[in-house]
C-alpha cells in the first residue's frame, strides 16, 4: 500500500500557497490588531507563520494508516462509496499541537492555541458541526468508539511521512524534524481528551478564543479553492460552486501553480 500521496501532499502545498496570497495583502497585520483589542499581544509575523503552518497541517490527519488503508496502489479507493475521513481534523489538530511543542520556533502560547483550534475547526465552513459535538463534550472521559478505532492506526508510515516532507520542503517555516516527530506516532486518547478540555476551558475563560476564526479564514479559502480545482467534474460537489467562486474573487483567482 502506498500513501494517497500526490493528492494529499499537493493539496497541503496548494492550500498553503493560496493562504499566502491572502497574507500578502496586510491580513496578518489586521489580525494582530484585532487580537490586541481583545488582550492578546501578537506580532504580525507570528500570525503569518502560524496561519501558514495551520494550512500545512490542516489535513495531515488524512495521512494516518487507518485512512490510507482505504486506497489501493495508485490512489484508487477500495469502496464504491468513496473514502471517509471522519475525525481527521482531530488528528490534524493533535499533530499540530505536538509540532508546536517540539518545534525550535516558539510562539505565544495563546496564539498557538488559536492556530490549533483553527485546524480542528477547518471543516465547519461547509459542514454541520454535529460531526464533532460528541467528541467535544467537556466532561467526556471516554471517546466515541469510532474515534478510538481510528486512533489505533493513527500513525503515519515512515515512507508516507517522508513523501509529505518532500512535498512540503519549499516552506522554510516548517521545522522538518518536528513535523516528522509529530506524525510518526499513534495519537493517544489522552492527547485528544486534553485537547478537548483545553478548548472547553479556553471558551469559558479567554474572551479572544472565538477569534481563532481570523486564523482559520485563509486556511478555509486555500482548502476550498484547491479542493474545487480537483472536483470540477464531480457533480456531487456542485453545490460548493457559488461558495468557492466567492472565495476565488476574494483572493483574485487563487489558483495553485
Amino acid at each position: 500500500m502506498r500513501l494517497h500521496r500526490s493528492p494529499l501532499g499537493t493539496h497541503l502545498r496548494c492550500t498553503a500557497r493560496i493562504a499566502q496570497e491572502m497574507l500578502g495583502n496586510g491580513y496578518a497585520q489586521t489580525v494582530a490588531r484585532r487580537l490586541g483589542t481583545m488582550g492578546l499581544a501578537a506580532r504580525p509575523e507570528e500570525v503569518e507563520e502560524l496561519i501558514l503552518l495551520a494550512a500545512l497541517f490542516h489535513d495531515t490527519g488524512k495521512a494516518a494508516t487507518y485512512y490510507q488503508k482505504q486506497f489501493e496502489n495508485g490512489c484508487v479507493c477500495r469502496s464504491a462509496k468513496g473514502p471517509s475521513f471522519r475525525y481527521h481534523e482531530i488528528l490534524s489538530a493533535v499533530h499540530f499541537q505536538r509540532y508546536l511543542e517540539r518545534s525550535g520556533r516558539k510562539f505565544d502560547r495563546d496564539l498557538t492555541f488559536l492556530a490549533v483550534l483553527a485546524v480542528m475547526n477547518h471543516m465547519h465552513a461547509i459542514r454541520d458541526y454535529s460531526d464533532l459535538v460528541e467528541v467535544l463534550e467537556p466532561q467526556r472521559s471516554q471517546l466515541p468508539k469510532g474515534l478510538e478505532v481510528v486512533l489505533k492506526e493513527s500513525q503515519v508510515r515512515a515512507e508516507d511521512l517522508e513523501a509529505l516532507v518532500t512535498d512540503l520542503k519549499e516552506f522554510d517555516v516548517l521545522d522538518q524534524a518536528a513535523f516528522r516527530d509529530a506524525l510518526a506516532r499513534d495519537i493517544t486518547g489522552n492527547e485528544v481528551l486534553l485537547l478537548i478540555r483545553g478548548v472547553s476551558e479556553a471558551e469559558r475563560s479567554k474572551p479572544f478564543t472565538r477569534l481563532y476564526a481570523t486564523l482559520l479564514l485563509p486556511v478555509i479559502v486555500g482548502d476550498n479553492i484547491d479542493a474545487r480545482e480537483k472536483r470540477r467534474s464531480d457533480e456531487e460537489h456542485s453545490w460548493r460552486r457559488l461558495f468557492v467562486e466567492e472565495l476565488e474573487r476574494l483572493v483574485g483567482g487563487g489558483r495553485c501553480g
Side-chain angles (χ1 to χ4, degrees), residues 16-56:
R17 286 180 181 176
I18 295 168
Q20 277 183 311
E21 292 185 35
M22 284 191 65
L23 296 173
N25 296 315
Y27 185 84
Q29 289 83 352
T30 301
V31 172
R33 286 195 297 270
R34 182 71 181 95
L35 291 170
T37 65
M38 298 296 290
L40 198 165
R43 293 180 290 112
E45 55 268 30
E46 282 187 299
V47 172
E48 184 168 344
E49 288 183 38
L50 281 169
I51 289 174
L52 185 55
L53 286 168
L56 292 172

Side-chain angles (χ1 to χ4, degrees), residues 22-243:
M22 284 191 65
L23 296 173
N25 296 315
Y27 185 84
Q29 289 83 352
T30 301
V31 172
R33 286 195 297 270
R34 182 71 181 95
L35 291 170
T37 65
M38 298 296 290
L40 198 165
R43 293 180 290 112
E45 55 268 30
E46 282 187 299
V47 172
E48 184 168 344
E49 288 183 38
L50 281 169
I51 289 174
L52 185 55
L53 286 168
L56 292 172
F57 271 89
H58 79 282
D59 271 353
T60 56
K62 291 182 178 181
T65 300
Y66 176 84
Y67 298 120
Q68 291 303 315
K69 284 168 61 178
Q70 298 176 97
F71 300 96
E72 302 279 6
N73 287 345
C75 305
V76 177
C77 184
R78 298 173 187 269
S79 171
K81 296 180 180 179
S84 170
F85 295 105
R86 184 170 183 177
Y87 299 126
H88 83 272
E89 53 266 65
I90 294 289
L91 275 62
S92 297
V94 174
H95 285 160
F96 194 22
Q97 190 166 55
R98 284 177 173 179
Y99 172 88
L100 292 166
E101 290 170 353
R102 292 162 175 75
S103 172
R105 174 74 164 95
K106 300 305 178 185
F107 300 92
D108 176 88
R109 184 178 180 84
D110 287 328
L111 189 59
T112 61
F113 180 76
L114 294 187
V116 171
L117 197 54
V119 169
M120 191 169 72
N121 285 301
H122 76 270
M123 295 296 295
H124 302 150
I126 53 176
R127 189 172 78 182
D128 193 306
Y129 189 78
S130 61
D131 269 11
L132 286 179
V133 167
E134 62 179 309
V135 182
L136 295 176
E137 293 173 3
Q139 302 306 315
R140 178 175 287 278
S141 59
Q142 185 174 358
L143 297 173
K145 293 297 183 183
L147 180 55
E148 288 182 342
V149 170
V150 173
L151 295 183
K152 289 177 181 178
E153 295 184 281
S154 54
Q155 83 285 357
V156 179
R157 295 185 179 186
E159 64 272 22
D160 299 338
L161 180 51
E162 289 309 308
L164 284 178
V165 171
T166 298
D167 285 336
L168 305 180
K169 65 183 179 181
E170 72 183 68
F171 297 97
D172 293 336
V173 69
L174 188 68
D175 180 332
Q176 293 185 5
F179 183 84
R180 289 185 176 94
D181 187 60
L183 274 64
R185 294 172 286 112
D186 276 328
I187 291 170
T188 67
N190 189 55
E191 286 180 292
V192 175
L193 289 169
L194 286 173
L195 176 62
I196 292 167
R197 290 165 186 158
V199 170
S200 178
E201 174 61 26
E203 288 178 341
R204 290 196 302 270
S205 63
K206 298 180 178 180
F208 53 75
T209 298
R210 292 189 181 277
L211 289 178
Y212 79 85
T214 61
L215 279 69
L216 174 59
L217 178 59
V219 180
I220 287 177
V221 171
D223 185 19
N224 285 279
I225 289 177
D226 184 65
R228 187 195 177 207
E229 284 299 297
K230 296 172 176 58
R231 294 170 176 155
R232 284 187 182 274
S233 62
D234 188 345
E235 290 302 318
E236 180 184 354
H237 298 280
S238 61
W239 59 273
R240 295 174 182 254
R241 181 175 55 82
L242 293 178
F243 173 71

Side-chain angles (χ1 to χ4, degrees), residues 3-13 75 163-164 167 230:
L3 175 65
H4 193 40
R5 61 176 55 165
S6 180
L8 179 57
T10 300
H11 175 61
L12 294 175
R13 184 172 66 246
C75 305
L164 284 178
D167 285 336
K230 296 172 176 58

